[in-house]
Amino acid sequence: MSSIKTVAAGRTSRRARWTSTDIGLIAVFAALVAASTMIPGIPVGALGVPITLQTLAVMLTGLVLGGGRAFAAVGLYTLLGFAGLPIFSGGRSGLGILAAPSAGYIIAFPLAAAAAGWLTARVIRKTVKYRAVFLFAAAMVSTIVLIHGLGVLGFMVNAKFDFAKAFLADLPYYPGDIIKNVLAAVIAVSLHKAFPDILVRRVK
């Protein structure tokens, strides 16, 4: 019995260990998130925080890579931006972004990608049909709870809004995020079909 447990533990350890393919995927998706900022955003509201394609790239990263690798990919993107690379929306960079009204959204990106990825792993384990619907739900939950939640907090801390004003300032981003999450779910399902080992091998 103990030998069976040892073998099972070894297999789990090997499955959990990142390979060179995993590292490559992390780098590719970090670059994807960075590239998404090259398309100019649409400023919204008095504070001018833009609607961008970043959330699409962040959610797609989570839905494709799963929790750990998605957190690493979006975390790498975020750290490079903080280090000075002009890869935040509008070509911004540096730690000064933490004092901007959009700080909550940027901080939320790695967490939201990880949450969406964690939920995606559960979807992959338990479902075959309607995966696009479940992946959309995973993206929306992660977006609402983390990206919008911390976005509202960022408005309250850096723009000195009360909760009601911060909530209203965040509302205009919902329609765009719904559309982007639909696209992320559809693309993710297609990628999982085309490359079944991209996540399935890590969760079964």
Side-chain angles (χ1 to χ4, degrees), residues 2-204:
S2 61
S3 61
I4 295 175
K5 289 182 178 179
T6 300
V7 171
R11 288 177 179 174
T12 301
S13 176
R14 285 194 296 272
R15 184 183 299 138
R17 190 180 299 126
W18 283 349
T19 66
S20 58
T21 299
D22 295 322
I23 301 301
L25 287 170
I26 288 168
V28 166
F29 276 83
L32 174 66
V33 178
S36 70
T37 67
M38 297 176 65
I39 299 174
I42 303 172
V44 172
L47 295 176
V49 176
I51 295 175
T52 71
L53 292 181
Q54 275 181 293
T55 49
L56 170 59
V58 167
M59 286 297 102
L60 182 61
T61 300
L63 298 183
V64 172
L65 296 188
R69 294 180 300 173
F71 180 82
V74 182
L76 174 61
Y77 156 78
T78 305
L79 288 175
L80 290 174
F82 286 153
L85 291 182
I87 54 176
F88 294 141
S89 61
R92 295 173 298 165
S93 65
L95 291 175
I97 198 75
L98 294 175
S102 60
Y105 297 108
I106 293 173
I107 293 170
F109 285 161
L111 302 176
W118 184 85
L119 291 171
T120 296
R122 273 72 197 158
V123 170
I124 295 294
R125 281 195 184 103
K126 297 180 180 297
T127 68
V128 176
K129 295 182 178 180
Y130 310 116
R131 277 186 176 173
V133 174
F134 288 114
L135 293 186
F136 168 73
M140 283 306 304
V141 168
S142 304
T143 299
I144 292 171
V145 173
L146 290 166
I147 294 180
H148 288 278
L150 291 181
V152 167
L153 183 61
F155 285 142
M156 294 174 68
V157 172
N158 290 342
K160 309 303 180 185
F161 285 177
D162 59 30
F163 175 77
K165 190 173 182 180
F167 180 78
L168 290 175
D170 176 70
L171 276 181
Y173 302 101
Y174 274 84
D177 282 344
I178 292 172
I179 294 171
K180 285 181 279 186
N181 284 337
V182 168
L183 291 173
V186 171
I187 295 169
V189 168
S190 298
L191 287 174
H192 285 304
K193 287 181 178 178
F195 306 100
D197 284 348
I198 200 169
L199 177 59
V200 172
R201 68 181 178 82
R202 300 191 67 86
V203 301
K204 290 192 174 182

